[in-house]
Amino acid sequence: MDSWRQHRSAFWAAFTAPTFWLVVFFLIPLSLLWLFSFGEKEGITGINITWTLKQYARALDPLYLGIFAKSLWMAFLTTLICLIIAFPVAIAIVFAPPKARLWLLLLIILPFWTNLLIRTYALIAVLRTRGQVNFGLEWMWEHANSFLTLVGLGSYNLLGADFEPLGMLYNNSAVLIGLVYVHLPFMVLPLYAALDRLDRSYMEASFDLGAGHIRTFRSIIIPLALPGIASGIVITFIPAMGSYLTPDLLGGTDSQMIANVIERQFKSANDWPFGAALSFILMYVTFFGLALRAVLSKREKMGGKAA
Amino acid sequence: MTSSTQSDPIIKIDQVSKTYPGDVQAVKNVSLEVHQGEFFALLGPSGCGKTTLLRMLAGFEIPNEGTIMIDGEDMTDVQPNARCVNMVFQSYAVFPHMTVAENVGYGLKVDRVKKKEIQERVAEALELVRLGDLGARMPDELSGGQRQRVALARALVKRPKVLLLDEPLSALDAKLREAMQMELVRLQKTVGITFIIVTHDQSEALSMANRIAVMEGGTVRQIATPEELYEDPNSRFVADFIGQINLFDGTAVASQTEEKVCATVEPFGTMEIWGETLGPVSLAIRPEKINIDIEKPTTSEHPMAQGTVTDIAYYGGYSNVFVDVAGTRIMAEVSNDTRIRSSTFERGTKVWISFNAEDALALGD
Ligand SMILES: Nc1ncnc2c1ncn2[C@@H]1O[C@H](COP(=O)(O)OP(=O)(O)O)[C@@H](O)[C@H]1O
Ligand SMILES: [Mg+2]
């Protein structure tokens, strides 16, 4: 009975801290925010909870709906591009020799160990007018030009009189590049995990039965890796949808996503009720995505599960 | 016995070697031929290179040296999906996301066979492996034995020239395994396709195959019919690996009779036995070919010795009696062919053991 008491106190000791943490730093602020979203601004700092739906109605303004749609679109593109890049990467890692595999995985995880801000600034350094990409292009331009001169075509300025650096920053493509760069590991890792678990003999059986690589990829690998693909999509899409730093630093004036709008409500606009309402709409959209994933995985389980 | 004299072999493996990265020499200079309609077994202890050899036939491994001919064509470097052989994997590899019928039809769909024909052939193949009414099931609703039948049907439906089976029975329980052995033999007779089966279980190979290649350490030690392997093994390794046998060390010198040697083996003395190896040899004799008597046998030309029974292992239909003869342990199989006999020999009984020298072999390594 004594040991039972000891266990009980150990249980409470282990249970209290995280519960306390969760309640104080997550549930209480979230509830407050939820209350704010049904309130109205009163003076400079005051918020009057009037249970009005005004803030949600404001969010339906075409301006904000447009930004929501744009965020969804950006997140969708990010997820799609990540999926297209990550699949071959994950396959390459799975089929790499065991020693190389470890290093490749490390390479994928490495960015997680650096601050997002630093990574984004590094990307700026690479993409800006006087950045590495443009240097590289200039180098190629010069060599191509001197080659043309060498073959006697130098005087025609076939490649333009001067090198024009590409403006790759402060527009939507810059945001997309940044989002893909930041979220790629989220896609590679679940795909890798799914493919690594996959029994090689399924692929061999497919080859043995006469299928080629593409057929095997389509009919065997993708269906069996579906749980990994779904996880990858979800954990790429959700943070991409709520991205704040990347569009803020890499985007132009027309590149803002919903998180940037929300931030503005809490800071410069000082409109907490509206910011809260927008936040909760974003959260509901995310929940919807998660629910969709749960339904999909359930259907898949009913249709026979991967070994 | 019969097929080895036929004309063109369906499979001709010629001096094939395979070395894996890390300098693992899995198959060393193996040559063998398999003929149309044979049930051929690759038999050997674990790690002797059976699977590697089979995978080279399927196209999953490319030999470092040598050639592989299938039905007269050089297939050494041909991709697996372009070979007219099919494989039943040790893990069965039944696709978990397809129904039984979809699994069986996969190879036909890949070959762009017409839908109607696929349906017919799938039904026919499922009938053949006695899974006629399970086409709509998912693999996780099947037992291990049923899943194996799916793998079999999936390979057979392609009508391969050769069916490759890697340890097909190792995952089944003992009772099912025996039933499945008979089933495989029946199946092979029905479809007439050449089967090449990999197994480490000698009784499995003996009971199913027409011919067996015994492998050890990447090399083939002997290729023969089950009966030849048992009664006429070419080496101590094969004799020891197939069934049970007594091996006594001795020396052999040339004898007058062809294909025989004069062997001197303790505790039996010198005798003329079958064999061609001279020098240090093992006298090999199967336990059921050793006679065991209380009285001294009267047939004086048989090698004999007196000893003491040390152990009796009872197996129902027969018992193995272990006799100690001046420090040499000898195993004799005694058939329990009447009900009231089992008590004849007991531990400590003085007995005479003898055998016909014609039944003994002189074997080298
Ligand atoms: N892919 C591989 N890479 C390296 N070594 C291997 C590989 N496959 C098998 N081997 C080695 O080759 C030898 C033969 O293996 P295998 O053909 O599987 O034998 P068996 O099927 O007779 O048990 C073993 O020593 C095994 O460890
Ligand atoms: Mg094996």
Side-chain angles (χ1 to χ4, degrees), chain A residues 199-213 215-224 301-307, chain B residues 55 58 60 79-83 85-87 89 91-98 103 106-111 138 140 154-155 158:
Chain A
D199 192 341
R200 297 274 169 96
S201 59
Y202 291 133
M203 289 170 237
E204 289 185 344
S206 175
F207 293 140
D208 187 68
L209 293 166
H213 285 89
R215 179 67 194 231
T216 302
F217 184 71
R218 190 159 53 85
S219 303
I220 309 296
I221 297 183
I222 289 190
L224 291 181
K301 270 208 196 88
M302 289 195 306
K305 57 180 186 290
Chain B
R55 287 173 60 83
F60 295 122
Q79 289 292 311
N81 53 5
R83 295 192 184 204
V85 302
N86 283 110
M87 182 143 161
F89 289 81
S91 61
Y92 311 149
V94 173
F95 304 132
H97 59 298
M98 297 183 189
N103 260 285
Y106 180 76
L108 299 177
K109 213 166 138 190
V110 165
D111 287 349
M138 294 306 291
D140 59 358
R154 186 175 68 177
K158 298 256 311 178

Side-chain angles (χ1 to χ4, degrees), chain B residues 47 50-52 90 166-167 198:
Chain B
K50 312 177 292 286
T51 298
T52 304
Q90 190 166 6
D166 190 1
E167 309 254 3
V198 157

Side-chain angles (χ1 to χ4, degrees), chain B residues 20-21 24 26 45-52:
Chain B
Y20 284 114
V24 184
S46 176
C48 71
K50 312 177 292 286
T51 298
T52 304

Side-chain angles (χ1 to χ4, degrees), chain A:
Chain A
M1 307 333 104
D2 211 40
S3 71
W4 183 78
R5 285 178 90 89
Q6 272 170 8
H7 275 115
R8 228 167 102 96
S9 52
F11 167 76
W12 283 113
F15 182 75
T16 313
T19 310
F20 178 80
W21 193 88
L22 211 63
V23 168
V24 170
F25 294 108
F26 184 69
L27 279 182
I28 291 179
L30 203 68
S31 312
L32 277 176
L33 215 56
W34 187 74
L35 282 179
F36 289 167
S37 76
F38 296 102
E40 278 174 276
K41 227 165 74 132
E42 211 180 53
I44 296 179
T45 51
I47 293 168
N48 197 4
I49 313 289
T50 55
W51 298 105
T52 170
L53 289 173
K54 203 171 91 190
Q55 309 299 351
Y56 288 95
R58 269 173 78 194
L60 295 179
D61 182 294
L63 172 71
Y64 298 115
L65 280 185
I67 291 176
F68 255 112
K70 184 186 178 122
S71 302
L72 278 171
W73 175 242
M74 290 298 271
F76 168 78
L77 281 181
T78 303
T79 309
L80 187 71
I81 296 173
C82 280
L83 190 62
I84 292 170
I85 300 177
F87 229 115
V89 171
I91 288 179
I93 299 177
V94 169
F95 284 96
K99 251 190 199 153
R101 196 181 312 170
L102 221 65
W103 287 106
L104 289 171
L105 278 176
L106 193 72
L107 222 58
I108 299 290
I109 300 170
L110 207 60
F112 283 139
W113 296 346
T114 335
N115 185 288
L116 176 60
L117 198 63
I118 294 171
R119 272 185 286 155
T120 311
Y121 274 115
L123 201 58
I124 291 177
V126 172
L127 294 179
R128 68 186 164 193
T129 325
R130 308 275 322 138
Q132 276 72 12
V133 172
N134 273 320
F135 286 157
L137 288 174
E138 189 172 6
W139 182 85
M140 282 195 280
W141 181 85
E142 275 167 6
H143 279 75
N145 239 1
S146 48
F147 173 75
L148 287 179
T149 314
L150 202 71
V151 296
L153 295 169
S155 52
Y156 298 104
N157 282 337
L158 287 174
L159 298 169
D162 285 301
F163 172 71
E164 298 271 359
L166 288 179
M168 286 172 292
L169 269 182
Y170 313 122
N171 54 34
N172 286 330
S173 353
V175 176
L176 199 57
I177 292 173
L179 288 179
V180 169
Y181 164 66
V182 168
H183 293 100
L184 197 58
F186 291 107
M187 190 63 99
V188 172
L189 292 178
L191 278 185
Y192 167 78
L195 291 175
D196 193 46
R197 265 202 315 268
L198 221 158
D199 192 341
R200 297 274 169 96
S201 59
Y202 291 133
M203 289 170 237
E204 289 185 344
S206 175
F207 293 140
D208 187 68
L209 293 166
H213 285 89
I214 294 173
R215 179 67 194 231
T216 302
F217 184 71
R218 190 159 53 85
S219 303
I220 309 296
I221 297 183
I222 289 190
L224 291 181
L226 218 51
I229 296 174
S231 311
I233 288 177
V234 167
I235 68 170
T236 306
F237 188 88
I238 289 176
M241 174 80 191
S243 288
Y244 160 71
L245 202 63
T246 312
D248 194 47
L249 293 181
L250 297 178
T253 43
D254 68 331
S255 315
Q256 57 181 340
M257 290 170 66
I258 193 64
N260 305 104
V261 177
I262 293 174
E263 185 252 6
R264 217 172 325 113
Q265 303 314 316
F266 284 105
K267 284 171 133 184
S268 49
N270 192 24
D271 190 348
W272 282 43
F274 186 46
L278 286 175
S279 301
F280 270 90
I281 293 176
L282 179 60
M283 222 163 91
Y284 296 144
V285 170
T286 308
F287 279 157
F288 178 75
L290 284 175
L292 207 68
R293 150 104 178 96
V295 170
L296 281 178
S297 73
K298 198 178 221 162
R299 267 207 0 216
E300 183 190 309
K301 270 208 196 88
M302 289 195 306
K305 57 180 186 290

